[in-house]
Amino acid sequence: MGMQAAIEEAMKSQEILSISDPQTLAQVLTAGVQGSLNDPRLVISYEPSNLEEVPRQAPALSNLTHEELLAWLQKSVRHEVLEHNVGYLRVDDLPGQEVLSKLGGFLVTHVWRQLMDTSSLVLDLRHCTGGHVSGIPYVISYLHPENTVLHVDTIYDRPSNTTTEIWTLPQVLGGRYSTDKDVVVLTSGRTGGVAEDIAYILKQMRRAIVVGERTVGGALDLQKLRIGQSNFFLTVPVSRSLGPLGGGSQTWEGSGVLPCVGTPAEQALEKALAILTLRRALPGMLHRLQEALREYYTLVDRVPALLQHLTTMDFSTVVSEEDLVSKLNAGLQSVSEDPRLLVRTVGTKENTHGLEVAGAEDPLEAAPTVPEGEAARQVLVDSVFQVAVLPGNVGYLRFDRFADASVLEAL
């Protein structure tokens, strides 16, 4: 209805009707329809060389020979195993169910099996501007647990006035990627259509951390339609994602997928690897934290509850040391009801991730050793004590921590 009103208003405008240059008219009409519906996907173009009403879609891969399909696949799907056993899978164009059924065995043998045993996975969709809707459940299913099926999306097609539900597959060739392993999806401002839906679904499932730029906010199917018998064409989305993982609210269409961690697309892989390094170190850090609480925390009766809390905390959204420290402090202080219980980060010469915990006794604050030289001892004293005589002959002595008795005796 909004479009109809805008067009009727344009028909009454002598200023618009008097535009003689067709390219200018196309730009004015595009601005009008986009403004009236707040939808940047609607485009009117003037193309005198375009003689047919042709939907804007990918080439018909089903018509290619097996050898041609393999050549296409090797250009569209690339993979490697990076340092620290991180799997990397780049998909530039997602084939549909018909092609995947033909090439499924090849993909499993030559791509997926090399990635199955990796410790974590990076799915690179930065260069993926489209694909086939029927390929979506294949990608999602390999990252979803077996023995369960999940309704991940419902697609509405306007020309046929039909809806199609997308579910994960009950069975897949090869094996699924363990849900205990981290997955990062890379996006850019060019990531569009089917790739956006995949990134959105994995984000809503809390199965992947999306890193990069907000996606283009396109559509699952854009078609270019001739307007009457003219040389003007309307590019319009003819299908729509309805959820259900978005809860029936606005999805990625028009607005794009907002990454969990925003960074320029060219730096997204580097950022993803840094996040995976942190998450790889997470089990060891939590183990050391549990040991510190078990051995040192003075409120012994609260230790079991704290240890239990650490084993049940959800760290799936942790992407930085700041996130981790904030989450740990909020949880531990709530369970212990002790604001003195504090986790903080510590740097090391190896630049690896580390945590320390300060409790009521703060056992990790080790007493300084006493140096031998007089000058060095003076430096130590000056670092602990501040002494001054204030106006009115008032003595001032400040010290910020109690030293060990043996230290005081030596000094």
Side-chain angles (χ1 to χ4, degrees):
M1 297 301 296
M3 178 69 75
Q4 180 177 339
I7 292 174
E8 291 175 351
E9 187 68 25
M11 292 171 63
K12 299 175 184 177
S13 171
Q14 292 301 317
E15 183 179 357
I16 293 179
L17 293 179
S18 64
I19 296 175
S20 59
D21 177 58
Q23 295 289 0
T24 302
L25 178 59
Q27 294 172 4
V28 170
L29 293 176
T30 295
V33 295
Q34 288 184 356
S36 64
L37 293 182
N38 192 29
D39 191 340
R41 301 171 300 173
L42 295 167
V43 177
I44 295 175
S45 57
Y46 177 71
E47 304 177 37
S49 61
N50 195 341
L51 302 179
E52 299 179 1
E53 180 180 309
V54 182
R56 196 176 81 181
Q57 59 185 8
L61 296 175
S62 57
N63 296 330
L64 301 180
T65 65
H66 187 76
E67 290 71 20
E68 289 172 334
L69 280 175
L70 290 179
W72 170 86
L73 186 66
Q74 290 171 349
K75 292 181 180 179
S76 302
V77 179
R78 308 173 198 175
H79 75 288
E80 61 180 303
V81 178
L82 306 177
E83 190 178 3
H84 301 299
N85 199 32
V86 175
Y88 173 80
L89 177 62
R90 171 175 165 175
V91 179
D92 292 352
D93 190 6
L94 183 67
Q97 179 180 2
E98 185 176 356
V99 174
L100 288 171
S101 63
K102 293 180 180 179
L103 301 180
F106 178 87
L107 282 168
V108 169
T109 301
H110 297 281
V111 177
W112 191 237
R113 283 181 182 168
Q114 278 70 51
L115 300 174
M116 275 289 296
D117 295 328
T118 55
S119 302
S120 53
L121 180 67
V122 175
L123 175 59
D124 190 348
L125 300 178
R126 290 177 293 177
H127 308 277
C128 192
T129 58
H132 294 261
V133 171
S134 61
I136 294 176
Y138 285 85
V139 177
I140 303 301
S141 296
Y142 276 96
L143 303 176
H144 184 67
E146 59 183 345
N147 302 324
T148 63
V149 291
L150 180 66
H151 182 197
V152 295
D153 204 351
T154 298
I155 309 299
Y156 169 66
D157 181 72
R158 178 70 189 278
S160 63
N161 194 30
T162 59
T163 57
T164 302
E165 291 186 350
I166 296 181
W167 291 73
T168 56
L169 304 175
Q171 293 181 332
V172 296
L173 286 176
R176 300 175 192 253
Y177 203 67
S178 172
T179 54
D180 295 331
K181 300 178 181 180
D182 289 317
V183 176
V184 177
V185 175
L186 307 185
T187 60
S188 73
R190 297 177 61 246
T191 304
V194 168
E196 292 182 274
D197 205 32
I198 290 173
Y200 178 81
I201 290 170
L202 291 175
K203 179 182 176 183
Q204 294 297 316
M205 289 171 58
R206 299 170 68 91
R207 182 62 187 98
I209 300 168
V210 180
V211 177
E213 298 170 343
R214 183 193 289 266
T215 61
V216 69
L220 290 171
D221 187 6
L222 285 171
Q223 289 192 12
K224 184 178 289 187
L225 309 173
R226 180 187 289 275
I227 302 176
Q229 299 303 313
S230 70
N231 291 324
F232 288 88
F233 292 81
L234 169 66
T235 299
V236 58
V238 296
S239 62
R240 178 184 176 192
S241 168
L242 301 179
L245 292 176
S249 60
Q250 181 182 5
T251 62
W252 52 269
E253 297 189 51
S255 59
V257 179
L258 188 66
C260 305
V261 180
T263 191
E266 60 273 13
Q267 301 172 15
L269 178 58
E270 180 183 357
K271 184 66 175 178
L273 295 177
I275 292 172
L276 291 174
T277 298
L278 168 67
R279 297 186 60 80
R280 192 164 51 248
L282 189 55
M285 289 189 286
L286 293 176
H287 177 73
R288 292 192 294 274
L289 180 57
Q290 290 174 317
E291 289 298 311
L293 290 169
R294 189 179 290 112
E295 295 179 14
Y296 296 109
Y297 189 43
T298 188
L299 302 180
V300 179
D301 59 317
R302 303 181 190 182
V303 169
L306 289 169
L307 298 179
Q308 175 64 23
H309 180 72
L310 284 174
T311 61
T312 58
M313 287 183 72
D314 179 14
F315 295 100
S316 61
T317 60
V318 170
V319 295
S320 68
E321 288 186 345
E322 292 76 13
D323 287 345
L324 178 59
V325 167
S326 176
K327 189 176 188 68
L328 286 172
N329 282 332
L332 295 181
Q333 291 180 12
S334 174
V335 172
S336 67
E337 299 180 346
D338 185 354
R340 304 169 300 171
L341 189 58
L342 184 67
V343 175
R344 55 179 177 245
T345 59
V346 291
T348 65
K349 293 181 180 179
E350 294 79 12
N351 197 29
T352 57
H353 303 281
L355 296 177
E356 68 176 15
V357 58
E361 308 262 335
D362 202 1
L364 301 181
E365 190 73 36
T369 58
V370 182
E372 295 297 330
E374 185 71 20
R377 292 190 176 197
Q378 186 63 51
V379 171
L380 174 60
V381 171
D382 292 341
S383 70
V384 177
F385 296 93
Q386 293 185 31
V387 180
V389 178
L390 304 178
N393 200 30
V394 175
Y396 175 80
L397 172 63
R398 167 182 164 179
F399 53 99
D400 296 339
R401 66 182 179 190
F402 285 97
D404 183 82
S406 61
V407 174
L408 290 175
E409 183 177 356
L411 293 176

